[in-house]
């Protein structure tokens, strides 16, 4: 039975950043990370657009807005210190019609309140800036950037090990018990700790249940399907290009993203997966599926967005429909340009009434702190999230 001061469940970027921050805040503390996969950071940390977000979309005063602003600075500084490639590319949000232009004004107001630098382009300026992008106007956000978050996560893991921390892979958590500390049963045996932090992403609600609590939400997995453009079209745009999102919908829309490796990807859409790790539309987990189908929040969520749900499903199965979303702002992308690229799965927390949880959520017990909901921009925000968690831990153990 291995014993530690702090046990962190989850070897993604948030769990790794948290473990590293615990080491900094509690000098000499024994810290362990338990990761069920054979490698670290292979789920949401790896499967995303690689954007260092600026915080354009997030409600003023929310944890999202605060963490993203801080995380934008922290991520870039961490990359500079450790020679991790990144580029401060900026980002364009393109209004393709009058309705988009009106919605863009609301985004600009959010940016003003959140103290995010922006510049508005008219149609001619947009054409000069990105000749292959069309729209009636656009918002330029210079502080956005691109990076490979898996490289950031691996560097954090290296620092954790160098500081004496232990990382266990192939370590599936099967049970939790709180006594004078916390006892964690796993596929590798039992671990005990003074305090537990869970950063389990797609399984956060199940960790809460293991602690004997009833979560106020359920994680529903949404697959985000990406494509990669051929090498000869990788310079079609030189900045991330986003549509103006519909504020009534929980997802941002399909965007074009130059990746740090020089490739150009398009995506993601958002369609319900049939497994929590449903990276393929053919992947079905009967336990996950039964759990989803028995959850009233799923049906209420669909009833809130019946048409978008059908459109997303249709576009997932019918590639020309997917392409049409891209062609609204970049008509030069052709059907034959959409080459296979790994999908991602987003852990979307949904309440029983069908409401999506849009901000970060933390669940506390006497000896544990669980990250219940860590939506995008969690990768950008990993380091300020870690500081927030450590402050919370300090309050709970003092």
């Amino acid at each position: 039975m291995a014993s530690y001061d702090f046990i962190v469940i989850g070897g993604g970027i948030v769990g790794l950043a948290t473990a590293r921050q615990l080491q900094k805040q509690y000098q000499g503390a024994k810290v362990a990370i338990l990761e069920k996969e054979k490698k670290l950071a292979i789920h949401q940390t790896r499967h995303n657009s690689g954007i260092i977000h600026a915080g354009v979309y997030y409600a003023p005063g929310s944890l999202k807005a605060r963490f993203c602003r801080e995380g934008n600075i922290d991520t870039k500084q961490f990359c500079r210190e450790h020679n991790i490639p990144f580029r401060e590319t900026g980002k364009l949000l393109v209004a393709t019609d009058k309705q988009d232009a009106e919605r863009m004004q609301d985004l600009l107001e959010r940016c003003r309140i959140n103290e995010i630098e922006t510049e508005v382009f008219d149609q001619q300026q947009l054409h000069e800036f990105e000749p292959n992008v069309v729209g009636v106007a656009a918002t330029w956000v210079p502080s956005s950037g691109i990076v490979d978050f898996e490289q950031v996560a691996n560097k954090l893991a290296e620092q954790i090990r160098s500081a004496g921390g232990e990382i266990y892979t192939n370590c599936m958590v099967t049970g939790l018990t709180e006594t004078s500390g916390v006892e964690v049963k796993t596929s590798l045996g039992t671990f005990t700790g003074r305090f537990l932090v869970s950063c389990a992403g797609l399984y956060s609600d199940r960790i809460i249940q293991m602690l004997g609590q009833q979560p106020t939400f359920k994680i529903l997995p949404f697959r985000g399907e990406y494509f990669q453009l051929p090498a000869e079209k990788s310079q079609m745009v030189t900045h991330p290009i986003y549509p103006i999102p519909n504020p009534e919908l929980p997802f941002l829309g399909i965007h074009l993203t130059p990746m740090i490796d020089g490739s150009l990807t398009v995506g993601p859409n958002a369609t319900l997966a049939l497994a929590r790790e449903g990276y393929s539309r053919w992947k079905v987990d009967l336990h996950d599926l039964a759990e989803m189908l028995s959850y009233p929040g799923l049906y209420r969520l669909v009833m809130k967005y019946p048409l978008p749900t059908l459109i997303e499903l249709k576009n997932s199965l019918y590639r020309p429909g997917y392409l049409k979303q891209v062609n609204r702002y970049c008509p030069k992308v052709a059907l034959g340009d959409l080459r296979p690229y790994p999908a991602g799965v987003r852990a979307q927390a949904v309440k029983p009434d069908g409401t999506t949880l849009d901000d970060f959520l933390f669940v506390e017990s006497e000896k544990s702190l669980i990250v219940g909901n860590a939506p995008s921009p969690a990768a950008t925000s990993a380091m300020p999230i870690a500081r927030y968690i450590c402050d919370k831990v300090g309050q709970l153990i003092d």
Side-chain angles (χ1 to χ4, degrees), residues 219-376:
I219 294 294
L220 298 182
F222 280 82
R223 186 174 60 257
E225 295 163 330
Y226 292 86
F227 294 96
Q228 186 177 68
L229 273 61
E232 61 269 21
K233 290 196 173 182
S234 62
Q235 299 301 312
M236 182 179 293
V237 299
T238 55
H239 309 85
I241 311 295
Y242 277 64
I244 299 294
N246 183 341
E248 297 176 2
L249 301 178
F251 303 114
L252 297 180
I254 294 171
H255 45 269
L256 278 168
T257 307
M259 305 296 279
I260 200 67
D261 64 4
S263 64
L264 182 63
T265 64
V266 55
N269 60 355
T271 184
L272 190 69
L274 303 181
R276 293 209 182 194
E277 296 176 22
Y279 294 100
S280 162
R281 68 166 59 99
W282 313 117
K283 174 70 180 293
V284 179
D285 183 294
L286 294 179
H287 174 67
D288 292 348
L289 184 59
E291 194 176 62
M292 285 189 284
L293 293 177
S294 65
Y295 186 56
L298 169 63
Y299 304 98
R300 289 167 182 155
L301 175 65
V302 171
M303 291 307 296
K304 284 177 183 283
Y305 310 109
L307 184 58
T309 299
L310 289 173
I311 290 172
E312 288 291 317
L313 179 59
K314 185 261 293 183
N315 290 346
S316 174
L317 299 170
Y318 180 64
R319 198 168 294 184
Y322 188 108
L323 177 66
K324 186 177 180 180
Q325 301 299 310
V326 185
N327 287 158
R328 289 182 63 219
Y329 58 83
C330 191
K332 290 195 174 182
V333 179
L335 192 60
D337 295 333
L338 302 181
R339 309 290 175 82
Y341 192 79
V345 177
R346 170 175 174 165
Q348 179 62 61
V350 179
K351 293 182 179 180
D353 65 0
T355 302
T356 56
L357 292 179
D358 293 327
D359 207 357
F360 291 92
L361 175 70
F362 301 88
V363 178
E364 301 174 7
S365 67
E366 188 176 347
K367 301 293 180 180
S368 306
L369 180 68
I370 297 97
V371 181
N373 190 44
S376 177

Side-chain angles (χ1 to χ4, degrees), residues 202-213:
L202 286 159
Y203 299 95
S204 65
D205 52 344
R206 292 182 183 172
I207 295 295
I208 294 169
Q209 289 173 326
M210 284 185 188
L211 284 168
Q213 297 190 36

